[in-house]
Amino acid sequence: MGVKYCFRKNDHVVIAMPYLEHESFLDILNSLSFQEVREYMLNLFKALKRIHQFGIVHRDVKPSNFLYNRRLKKYALVDFGLAQGTHDTKIELLKFVQSEAQQERCSQNKSHIITGNKIPLSGPVPKELDQQSTTKASVKRPYTNAQIQIKQGKDGKLMKQSKTVDVLSRKLATKKKAISTKVMNSAVMRKTASSCPASLTCDCYATDKVCSICLSRRQQVAPRAGTPGFRAPEVLTKCPNQTTAIDMWSAGVIFLSLLSGRYPFYKASDDLTALAQIMTIRGSRETIQAAKTFGKSILCSKEVPAQDLRKLCERLRGMDSSTPKLTSDIQGHASHQPAISEKTDHKASCLVQTPPGQYSGNSFKKGDSNSCEHCFDEYNTNLEGWNEVPDEAYDLLDKLLDLNPASRITAEEALLHPFFKDMSL
């Protein structure tokens, strides 16, 4: 998105960003041409490639955080409030990032200055910058670099005279207090966790209840930030090692909405229900196998086969001529949903499928046959390209919704996918 400037007012920090007038994703979802969908996804992958090259995970990729100006063909990835780094985050590189305007200005002046540390690459250093750097280097925190004056007292003993000693002592005391509190809390947690003998076997395994033995076990802590419906399987199962692949899963869910015309595509009240919904699309066996790759064990009450992505999207969009009703197969399948449980949580849940009445078309209400006809009229307003969606689109979708984060396609790889073969990067 970029930043124009920022300032601080007391304890508030204000960041001013460029304004981009944009359309609501839900309002334009079913009026986008297929070419517009390609452009939308291309620019989303460009934005993700940009942040992923620094090892930054956005964690909240969704349509409302990817602004789209349809008239100007402008896009912007926003809201980094949940963003996190990874073990390979290249923070130092961020200090040397220049905007295009700065690069052009520097090239005209034949003096390139990196904005982060103001290091000259060519040409003489301006006097103003030299003075600023000298002044900045001389200004240091008093409690870390101040000299401690020592003088001899009347009785020959050495006496310390400096207020910085008091500051240091106070900080050390505060730090020690925090550490002791942390140790005490961890000891309490260990005691609670060990209150239930490890030799006892739980009696809720593969059932729809949680016993006291499982409740006494310490839960695994892992990042879960994100928007329901867009969380990757490794986030839902509390995998501790989460990478930029979780953003690619979210991008895949957006692509799934664009191809199917349904938004939101997934809607669940809790993580295990969300996982069950993913199973109905990607298959229970595939989900269980993928979970094993990142150290998780999932149980499913019955086997659910993976669905063909093309058939699913065409059926939901109403492009499948062999299926007269828009969601008949989905409704029939909803009555046979699995109950799943995860060994780490020892919890079970049944799938709550989004009712057809919540279809993204505003005029489509459950039980209203006339509105359904009107709904199809809306879809036919811009069917350019939708009657011949190439196989490359569903191949890319399959790679984005790869249940295994290790083999899931990256943003850089997605830009090179045949789906974008005739588009300029």
Side-chain angles (χ1 to χ4, degrees), residues 108-148:
Q108 291 174 359
N109 297 332
K110 294 183 180 181
S111 178
H112 304 284
I113 301 172
I114 296 173
T115 57
N117 294 328
K118 299 183 180 179
I119 303 175
L121 298 181
S122 62
V125 180
K127 291 183 178 179
E128 295 83 357
L129 290 175
D130 192 24
Q131 291 174 356
Q132 287 179 7
S133 61
T134 305
T135 307
K136 190 174 181 180
S138 61
V139 178
K140 298 182 178 180
R141 295 182 180 181
Y143 59 81
T144 56
N145 297 281
Q147 296 285 336
I148 298 177

Side-chain angles (χ1 to χ4, degrees), residues 131-398:
Q131 291 174 356
Q132 287 179 7
S133 61
T134 305
T135 307
K136 190 174 181 180
S138 61
V139 178
K140 298 182 178 180
R141 295 182 180 181
Y143 59 81
T144 56
N145 297 281
Q147 296 285 336
I148 298 177
Q149 298 178 359
I150 301 176
K151 72 175 185 177
Q152 191 171 0
K154 294 181 180 179
D155 54 354
K157 295 182 179 179
L158 294 178
M159 297 170 57
K160 296 181 180 179
Q161 268 192 342
S162 178
K163 292 184 178 179
T164 57
V165 177
D166 296 334
V167 177
L168 283 171
S169 61
R170 283 199 301 269
K171 285 192 170 291
L172 285 172
T174 305
K175 192 173 182 181
K176 287 179 180 178
K177 186 177 179 180
I179 292 173
S180 61
T181 305
K182 190 174 181 181
V183 171
M184 187 185 301
N185 291 337
S186 62
V188 172
M189 289 176 65
R190 282 197 301 270
K191 185 177 180 181
T192 304
S194 60
S195 60
C196 182
S199 59
L200 289 178
T201 304
C202 78
D203 57 358
C204 68
Y205 186 74
T207 65
D208 58 350
K209 64 178 181 179
V210 184
C211 66
S212 58
I213 297 174
C214 294
L215 288 174
S216 66
R217 291 174 179 165
R218 186 164 31 172
Q219 295 294 317
Q220 184 172 22
V221 179
R224 290 182 60 256
T227 299
F230 293 90
R231 293 192 184 109
E234 61 268 31
V235 178
L236 297 174
T237 55
K238 299 181 182 178
C239 178
N241 300 320
Q242 298 174 18
T243 65
T244 53
I246 68 174
D247 288 343
M248 299 307 293
W249 174 274
S250 301
V253 176
I254 295 175
F255 196 25
L256 185 58
S257 287
L258 289 168
L259 291 176
S260 66
R262 170 172 290 218
Y263 178 78
F265 194 90
Y266 292 118
K267 191 173 184 179
S269 58
D270 58 83
D271 288 351
L272 289 182
T273 302
L275 195 59
Q277 290 184 348
I278 290 174
M279 280 186 179
T280 61
I281 306 297
R282 304 302 285 159
S284 57
R285 184 190 305 171
E286 291 81 356
T287 306
I288 293 170
Q289 288 296 327
K292 288 181 180 179
T293 62
F294 47 85
K296 293 294 179 178
S297 181
I298 299 174
L299 297 174
C300 185
S301 60
K302 64 174 293 183
E303 186 173 335
V304 181
Q307 295 197 41
D308 183 278
L309 292 175
R310 174 183 281 278
K311 291 180 180 179
L312 173 69
C313 292
E314 288 180 349
R315 187 165 64 245
L316 293 175
R317 184 170 277 277
M319 302 295 291
D320 188 359
S321 58
S322 63
T323 307
K325 292 185 179 180
L326 190 65
T327 55
S328 58
D329 289 349
I330 296 296
Q331 284 181 281
H333 186 67
S335 60
H336 302 287
Q337 303 302 344
I340 66 167
S341 66
E342 185 187 357
K343 285 184 181 178
T344 53
D345 279 351
H346 297 271
K347 182 179 180 182
S349 175
C350 293
L351 174 66
V352 180
Q353 181 71 30
T354 304
Q358 294 183 7
Y359 193 74
S360 59
N362 293 331
S363 61
F364 183 36
K365 304 296 182 183
K366 188 175 181 180
D368 189 353
S369 58
N370 295 328
S371 63
C372 187
E373 182 180 353
H374 179 68
C375 180
F376 281 111
D377 291 338
E378 288 184 356
Y379 297 147
N380 292 329
T381 56
N382 197 345
L383 291 177
E384 182 184 351
W386 287 110
N387 56 341
E388 47 185 18
V389 177
D391 292 335
E392 289 81 3
Y394 296 103
D395 180 72
L396 176 58
L397 178 61
D398 181 67

